[in-house]
Amino acid sequence: MSIKSFNLFKPKLLSVVIASALSCTVTSNALADDTVKDTSVDDQFTIFGNSNAVNNTPGSAHQLSQADLEKFDYTDIMRTLTSIPGVYVLEEDGYGLRANIGMRGTGQNRSEKVTIMEDGVLAAPAPYSSPAAYYFPTAGRMQQVEVLKGTSSAMYGPRTTGGVINMISRQIPDEELAGQVSVQAGQDGFAKVHAFVGGKGENISSVFEVFRYQADGFKDINHSEQDTGFVKNDILAKVRYNTDDNATFYQELEFKIKYSDEESDDTYMGLTAGDFNSAPYSRYSASQKDNMSNEHLQLQLSHVIALSSRFNLGTTVYHNDFSRNWYKTSKVNGKSLGDGGIEIAAEHDKVAAGAIDVDVKANNRAYLSQGIQTVLDADFNSHQVKFGIRYHKDEMDRYQWVDKYELDSSYNMNLTEAGIPGTDSNRIDSASALALFVHDEWTVGKFIVNAGLRYENMVIERQDWGKNDVDRQMAPETTKNSVDVVLPSLALTYHLSDDLVLLGGVQKGFAPPSPGNADAKNEESINYELGARYAKGAFNGEALVFYSDYDNMHGNCTASQNCDDDKIGEQYNAGAVKITGLEFKAGYVFDFGDISMPIDLTFTHTQTEFLNSFESDFWGDVDSGYEFPYVPTNQLQFVVGLAGEKWRSNILVRYTGEMRSEAGLGASDENIDARTVIDFVASYDIANNQQVRFSIDNLLNETYMATRMHGSVMVGKPLTVSVGYQYNF
């Protein structure tokens, strides 16, 4: 089987979907006006729909509006998400190109434990068979971001322990014609151009959007003038057809196409501790060939129909095609980066006493993710019920090779042996999954009961041709896991008053096994939460405690986790694990007449503990009672702003506590020190539809360790100043 033969979208299937979407004719009005208004494709894309729904949601639920996103106008999703409690991020490249996001102690490795969606559709290149991948939707073009953790996640999967991030792309404007053009430029060659135009017609509406950003990079390769930055392009188009408002069955049909590409000269090679202290923004010359190249295509056809005043049906067919080649140094003088290779590269940059050998691996992979999903919304007065079904298929085609270079005494990389594609890794991981769910929101007086049940049946498979059958002529070695899982959840909110809501719930968490291990186990947990939400006048606040009790926790090997090449993709079971924590968020707006001062505080406290002892290539040697790596005990963010009639400014203080880079207890030289990073932004309206902006990331130019990768140090982004201009019409 090849990736070309793996295609759910036959012409016959598309014709059936389109025919069913348009099957209802336009006749007399049979629905109330308010039903027509509430029936929209846009409503199918969102988790919450509106802020009031967030307030009634049991568990931790947060919605970042367009105004929230524009406050700092980050292009880095990880900087955006630090305003939400219970979310952990791990910087890597400094620009957010490689997102590492975790929730409630799940770990951040390639965001593999979090369900990532764009417009309600799974966004990871292969969310079942290979979730730890190098694609994340371009955050800077998003209009809204929704984050849901805890007991309301029965409707979303396949990973239900951590939570859900749903990114809402540009919606079609309500006006006949509207748009925006914004430009930004800053240090280290940073530049951004973002523009969209669209409008709503009587029956046909559309929007077209372009987003491009780039930088030369803030690191310097030793003995080289080569840039270390990136260029990323993202193009989006949507076209929507809607019936007349007086149709018997009001309908909307929307087609979305999104294309992006990226070229980034990024690396996995960090620095030795000594070089980090003396030259933190340097890079070793052995990494000069490192480059990521990728392309992503998304096709999405969405249909919604108001069947009656009580029933709406929304259906989406989706197709995601992602290909990438991360061409990066894997060995120096035969040593892997985590086993002495980085030290050899560091020494050669100081004293070039002859040539060294450098292996550069072409981590070449192609991904496919596609499916069809439908949700029926039913209004039974006190019961608001959702019935959902999704059929999904995905795969990763891994076809890699290694090129050998000589790094000479003049620090030039000379190719000595070109690798043959397929001779390093040659396999396909694939999955097919059927998911069904029912979710009932039952209102009884001041109580709202949320009960959910999710069922998934999945088959996850690996076909491995080894390193000697590059043409895939022989039968591959095959491993397969078949999984059936039932995931219940139950949550309760109680409106103690109009301002105060108490909430709590329990949920079964799950993550599917890896295709690479025939004896791999599911990740399963029981998750509890309890808290309160209060909002009155200018104040709003939320506090929750959570407890995740794992029967078995997964760790999946990736290159970013310092796994050996032959172990990448393997799953390791940690067994019983306990995670507890506190999430707190509060905001208040002071009104001084012509000037307002909004403040916002976000705090997360987390305790992690392995409950048994074991050895693994992923976590190392672990004793019972050890803490997790890369989960800070405390993290806090404080934002204070000032706003007048035409101007506004905000300063953000982000504190990340000390965290471990490997499992253990107590102080260690391998721990990552606590840090405080401050961002500042100010804007001024030069006209009703024009604005200028001034931004500083890392205002105090804090030099900090972001992570320890391959036993080396990766540095965070330094002070970066930028200015921008925005025009709306």
Side-chain angles (χ1 to χ4, degrees), residues 674-718:
R675 62 179 181 265
T676 300
V677 177
I678 300 175
D679 295 341
F680 172 80
V681 64
S683 62
Y684 180 78
D685 299 332
I686 57 178
N688 290 335
N689 62 342
Q690 298 181 68
Q691 181 188 95
V692 290
R693 176 184 294 266
F694 175 74
S695 302
I696 306 178
D697 291 346
N698 195 355
L699 176 66
L700 301 183
N701 201 21
E702 174 83 0
T703 301
Y704 62 94
M705 184 186 303
T707 180
R708 289 184 180 271
M709 188 178 294
H710 302 293
S712 60
V713 177
M714 302 292 280
V715 66
K717 189 172 76 169

Side-chain angles (χ1 to χ4, degrees), residues 21 24-41 43 200-203 205 240-253 303-308 311-313:
C24 299
T25 58
V26 178
T27 57
S28 61
N29 182 20
L31 301 174
D33 289 343
D34 59 343
T35 302
V36 172
K37 291 176 183 178
D38 290 341
T39 303
S40 170
V41 167
D43 293 336
K200 186 176 182 180
E202 185 175 346
N203 296 109
S205 308
R240 179 185 300 170
Y241 167 79
N242 63 271
T243 61
D244 294 333
D245 286 350
N246 63 352
T248 301
F249 299 101
Y250 179 81
Q251 300 179 70
E252 292 183 1
L253 181 67
H303 172 256
V304 64
I305 178 172
L307 299 171
S308 72
F311 297 98
N312 289 341
L313 181 67

Side-chain angles (χ1 to χ4, degrees), residues 99-257:
N100 296 286
I101 303 166
M103 295 184 182
R104 293 187 170 176
T106 57
Q108 302 97 310
N109 182 29
R110 292 285 170 260
S111 310
E112 65 177 358
K113 296 293 186 69
V114 177
T115 297
I116 308 293
M117 302 189 298
E118 179 177 333
D119 293 336
V121 169
L122 294 174
Y128 282 81
S129 59
S130 183
Y134 297 84
Y135 169 78
F136 198 90
T138 303
R141 66 173 171 82
M142 297 301 165
Q143 192 167 336
Q144 186 174 299
V145 176
E146 303 173 316
V147 178
L148 178 68
K149 305 189 297 293
T151 48
S152 293
S153 60
M155 293 181 285
Y156 311 101
R159 287 155 182 82
T160 63
T161 300
V164 180
I165 299 173
N166 185 36
M167 310 181 75
I168 310 299
S169 68
R170 177 67 51 191
Q171 298 183 17
I172 296 172
D174 291 329
E175 300 83 2
E176 289 187 7
L177 180 66
Q180 181 186 98
V181 177
S182 64
V183 294
Q184 187 177 358
Q187 287 179 272
D188 301 315
F190 181 81
K192 182 185 77 172
V193 177
H194 182 201
F196 73 88
V197 61
K200 186 176 182 180
E202 185 175 346
N203 296 109
I204 302 293
S205 308
S206 63
V207 68
F208 178 75
E209 183 177 31
V210 175
F211 191 95
R212 175 188 171 96
Y213 66 126
Q214 63 189 57
D216 296 335
F218 56 86
K219 298 178 184 178
D220 297 312
I221 299 177
N222 296 338
H223 315 290
S224 172
E225 298 298 321
Q226 179 181 322
D227 289 339
T228 59
F230 70 95
V231 175
K232 187 170 184 179
N233 301 294
D234 205 312
I235 301 172
L236 169 75
K238 293 180 180 180
V239 178
R240 179 185 300 170
Y241 167 79
N242 63 271
T243 61
D244 294 333
D245 286 350
N246 63 352
T248 301
F249 299 101
Y250 179 81
Q251 300 179 70
E252 292 183 1
L253 181 67
E254 180 177 289
F255 176 69
K256 168 188 172 184
I257 181 169

Side-chain angles (χ1 to χ4, degrees), residues 602-680:
T602 302
F603 174 73
T604 305
H605 175 79
T606 312
Q607 297 284 346
T608 63
E609 183 180 358
F610 291 100
L611 298 180
N612 60 306
S613 302
F614 60 93
E615 297 179 4
S616 79
D617 293 325
F618 184 79
W619 283 289
D621 295 341
V622 174
D623 290 336
S624 179
Y626 274 12
E627 297 174 342
F628 289 7
Y630 294 115
V631 178
T633 302
N634 296 299
Q635 56 183 26
L636 179 145
Q637 179 168 294
F638 179 72
V639 181
V640 60
L642 287 174
E645 182 180 357
K646 293 186 176 183
W647 60 273
R648 62 210 59 83
S649 64
N650 287 276
I651 190 164
L652 180 152
V653 181
R654 182 187 306 112
Y655 169 81
T656 305
E658 183 181 17
M659 58 184 167
R660 310 194 62 83
S661 64
E662 55 187 22
L665 285 173
S668 170
D669 291 339
E670 299 301 313
N671 286 358
I672 298 173
D673 292 338
R675 62 179 181 265
T676 300
V677 177
I678 300 175
D679 295 341
F680 172 80

